[in-house]
Amino acid sequence: MPFTPNDLTIRPITGPEELDLFRELPYVLDHELADDLAERRRRPEWMWIARRGDRVLARVAWWSRPGDLVPDRLDILDVLDGGDDARRGGAPGPDRLDVGELLLRTAMSAVLPAGSTPPEYGRFVAPDWRDTPASARTVQDRMAILRRTGAELFVERLRLEWRPGASPLPAPAGHLAFRPVDGTGELIDLMTSALTGTLDAHGRDDLTRMSARQAAVRHYEDELARFTSPRDWWCVATLPDKEPVGFVIPAHNGYNPVIAYIAVLPAHRGKGHIDALLAHGTRLLAEQDVPRVRAATDLGNVPMARAFRRAGYVEFGREITMTWS
């Protein structure tokens, strides 16, 4: 039987004036919510809460790139922690999962286009989230709610960061030359080639549904083309004979300086070129006097993770991604 308690109120927030209410359940991104609303990366009608009396028991929210009419990802899903439920008016025991499921299903039916596949879920978690019972239970509860609506784990990703002063600048490599990307066409050609043999879960999934070029075009249009940071930061690495061996896309994503994309072309892998590309991208951003450079890679992409660590990047978090089919 569906869980439909009569004393539960489920609704979107009315606007920025209810952000304090929405933030009763904490998350590391809470400090960004006001700016996200102002920049139209979020909308009040995409931010929902479940309340019993004056207590928020659960919340969900979607995010998009500025100006998009439909959400790009579900990135907030929280339920009142089980250890505090009974004391604070929350749903005791397993019922909190029922509250979360009911909220999510109700919000999805109102927010997402009818008949559409929901956008992916991505949640930042601590790097050691499995190591303590409380943190493991919190992450697993959220995943359980999502599974009830048909989502499955897609990939776990490492969140990495380089900070000036905390890590030395990676040394420049003398065996490669760097030049700006020669327009959109060249970049899409390079991205298409780089998808051969990729270890990236999103790239591999794209290749099950479309050609490598179609996947490259979509990635470019959905993400890279939207960056407002200078495109002359985007670089191709070449051998002395001008042959490209790879490329790196340093950028600012609206929140942080990032290594947005980095790849070695298939014919040149296994020769240490990734270290030179990463050093170049990191040094370019460091020259902008940034407080940090962030990056991410799949937990299973061991070669890329090792390259980031060699360059002085440290793991500061993980991201759990789940998808609906």
Side-chain angles (χ1 to χ4, degrees):
M1 177 180 294
F3 180 74
T4 55
N6 294 329
D7 60 347
L8 199 64
T9 299
I10 293 178
R11 64 171 177 85
I13 65 171
T14 57
E17 67 277 3
E18 286 199 317
L19 278 179
D20 285 345
L21 177 68
F22 189 79
R23 287 188 287 236
E24 283 190 13
L25 299 180
Y27 181 37
V28 68
L29 297 183
D30 281 350
H31 69 285
E32 298 176 353
L33 297 178
D35 284 346
D36 282 349
L37 282 172
E39 298 294 330
R40 301 291 284 173
R41 290 186 287 253
R42 299 187 192 272
R43 303 179 184 217
E45 60 267 28
W46 296 352
M47 303 172 70
W48 286 63
I49 56 173
R51 298 178 77 189
R52 177 174 291 144
D54 62 356
R55 173 63 60 187
V56 174
L57 305 186
R59 65 175 185 169
V60 298
W62 285 265
W63 177 93
S64 75
R65 294 178 177 85
D68 285 358
L69 299 179
V70 296
D72 183 71
R73 62 192 280 124
L74 172 67
D75 65 339
I76 295 178
L77 168 61
D78 293 296
V79 292
L80 190 64
D81 181 71
D84 292 335
D85 289 342
R87 294 193 303 274
R88 301 172 63 190
D95 285 356
R96 70 181 182 278
L97 303 189
D98 297 329
V99 171
E101 179 188 359
L102 180 60
L103 170 63
L104 180 57
R105 288 187 181 277
T106 303
M108 288 171 72
S109 67
V111 171
L112 304 180
S116 64
T117 300
E120 73 176 26
Y121 165 81
R123 175 73 181 214
F124 297 153
V125 298
D128 57 351
W129 68 268
R130 291 180 176 84
D131 294 348
T132 62
S135 63
R137 183 188 66 243
T138 298
V139 174
Q140 289 163 358
D141 281 353
R142 289 192 294 257
M143 294 176 71
I145 291 168
L146 290 154
R147 286 194 176 100
R148 291 183 181 192
T149 69
E152 294 295 339
L153 178 65
F154 181 74
V155 70
E156 183 170 345
R157 287 172 63 78
L158 305 175
R159 302 182 69 209
L160 302 150
E161 183 175 83
W162 177 90
R163 282 186 176 268
S167 298
L169 267 176
H175 65 291
L176 296 178
F178 288 87
R179 61 167 175 82
V181 171
D182 186 17
T184 302
E186 182 188 36
L187 180 58
I188 289 175
D189 287 345
L190 293 171
M191 293 169 66
T192 300
S193 177
L195 282 168
T196 299
T198 182
L199 297 179
D200 179 80
H202 285 90
R204 292 165 70 93
D205 181 65
D206 284 344
L207 292 176
T208 67
R209 294 177 285 106
M210 64 188 76
S211 71
R213 187 165 189 85
Q214 288 171 326
V217 169
R218 191 177 79 162
H219 186 173
Y220 174 81
E221 293 178 346
D222 287 353
E223 181 181 5
L224 306 185
R226 300 184 182 223
F227 291 141
T228 59
S229 47
R231 293 197 179 188
D232 58 12
W233 291 357
W234 302 2
C235 290
V236 178
T238 65
L239 296 172
D241 63 2
K242 311 300 184 183
E243 180 183 359
V245 302
F247 60 95
V248 59
I249 308 296
H252 196 292
N253 65 6
Y255 300 99
N256 293 286
V258 295
I259 300 297
Y261 199 152
I262 184 169
V264 176
L265 302 183
H268 299 283
R269 290 173 183 160
K271 301 174 184 178
H273 297 322
I274 191 64
D275 294 325
L277 283 159
L278 186 51
H280 184 83
T282 304
R283 294 176 70 89
L284 187 149
L285 289 172
E287 290 172 0
Q288 315 307 313
D289 197 28
V290 299
R292 70 188 70 84
V293 178
R294 288 190 171 173
T297 192
D298 293 355
L299 180 62
N301 192 342
V302 175
M304 192 68 248
R306 287 175 175 166
F308 277 115
R309 293 186 178 111
R310 288 194 300 270
Y313 286 71
V314 298
E315 181 186 350
F316 73 97
R318 299 277 179 95
E319 181 179 10
I320 301 291
T321 299
M322 298 181 69
T323 57
W324 288 259
S325 58

